[in-house]
């Protein structure tokens, strides 16, 4: 965390066990082995014990660019076809949903995701009137601090996830 290794494990089973103990349910070794949240030393998940991996801190905000695990490409590492690109987009959307985003719109080639809620000005106006404008202080603070983030995800011809961020509103 912040450049410091918090612990070392020797197998995918060890990571799975730690995640289950931390309260994450329905975690299997396949998901752990392909997760973008784990930095593997030596190029990939250990197949025979002895190799080490370290857990990476997930940064706040946009985070690191999402790139699918190697299994989404052809066996020879060739560029993905349309069906594989749709699978990569599905994977990227599911990764964002897992970190608090929701799908605003979706097509076969693009997904628009949003995080945050707009301020309900009608509700706050009524509350301000009822409380003789005492609630107006809360309303102003919410209006200033609230942000709604939007991102459009697409997959280019090489299989890379392209994220275009909209201005905050």
């Amino acid at each position: 965390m912040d450049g410091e290794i918090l612990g070392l494990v020797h197998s995918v089973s060890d990571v799975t066990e730690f995640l289950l103990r931390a309260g994450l349910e329905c975690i299997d070794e396949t998901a752990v082995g392909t997760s973008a949240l784990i930095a593997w030393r030596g190029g990939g998940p250990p197949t025979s014990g002895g190799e080490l991996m370290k857990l990476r801190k997930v940064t706040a905000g946009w985070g690191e660019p999402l790139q699918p695990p190697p299994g989404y490409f052809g066996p020879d590492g060739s560029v993905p076809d349309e069906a594989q690109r749709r699978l990569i987009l599905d994977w990227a959307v599911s990764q964002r949903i897992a970190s608090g985003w929701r799908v605003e719109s979706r097509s076969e080639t693009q997904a628009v995701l949003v995080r945050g809620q707009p301020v309900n000005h009608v509700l706050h106006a009524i509350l301000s009137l009822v409380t003789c404008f005492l609630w107006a202080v809360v309303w102003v603070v919410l209006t200033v601090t609230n942000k709604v983030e939007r991102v459009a995800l697409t997959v280019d011809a090489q299989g890379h996830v392209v994220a275009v961020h909209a201005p905050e509103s």
Side-chain angles (χ1 to χ4, degrees), residues 14-162:
D14 291 347
V15 176
T16 305
E17 180 64 27
F18 286 129
L19 293 174
L20 290 171
R21 287 182 185 184
L24 295 174
E25 298 177 11
C26 300
I27 298 293
D28 65 356
E29 290 186 9
T30 304
V32 170
T34 59
S35 174
L37 301 176
I38 298 172
W40 297 95
R41 290 188 181 174
T47 54
S48 62
E51 295 180 48
L52 299 176
M53 62 184 165
K54 63 180 181 177
L55 299 178
R56 225 182 332 187
K57 178 183 175 188
V58 179
T59 56
W62 299 113
E64 295 181 11
L66 292 174
Q67 297 306 329
Y72 282 82
F73 298 100
D76 57 353
S78 61
V79 295
D81 60 13
E82 288 298 316
Q84 289 170 318
R85 288 174 58 195
R86 281 193 294 275
L87 287 174
I88 293 169
L89 182 61
D90 290 341
W91 177 86
V93 168
S94 68
Q95 294 297 308
R96 292 283 181 147
I97 289 172
S99 54
W101 294 79
R102 64 185 184 281
V103 177
E104 186 175 62
S105 67
R106 174 71 194 261
S107 71
E108 290 205 15
T109 59
Q110 182 182 51
V112 177
L113 293 100
V114 64
R115 180 168 55 182
Q117 294 286 336
V119 175
N120 186 342
H121 293 290
V122 174
L123 173 65
H124 291 289
I126 293 170
L127 289 172
S128 295
L129 288 173
V130 169
T131 62
C132 297
F133 293 98
L134 290 175
W135 189 260
V137 175
V138 174
W139 185 10
V140 169
V141 169
L142 285 174
T143 302
V144 170
T145 61
N146 185 56
K147 64 179 179 177
V148 176
E149 302 167 299
R150 278 188 177 72
V151 63
L153 298 177
T154 58
V155 179
D156 67 11
Q158 287 75 37
H160 299 110
V161 178
V162 179

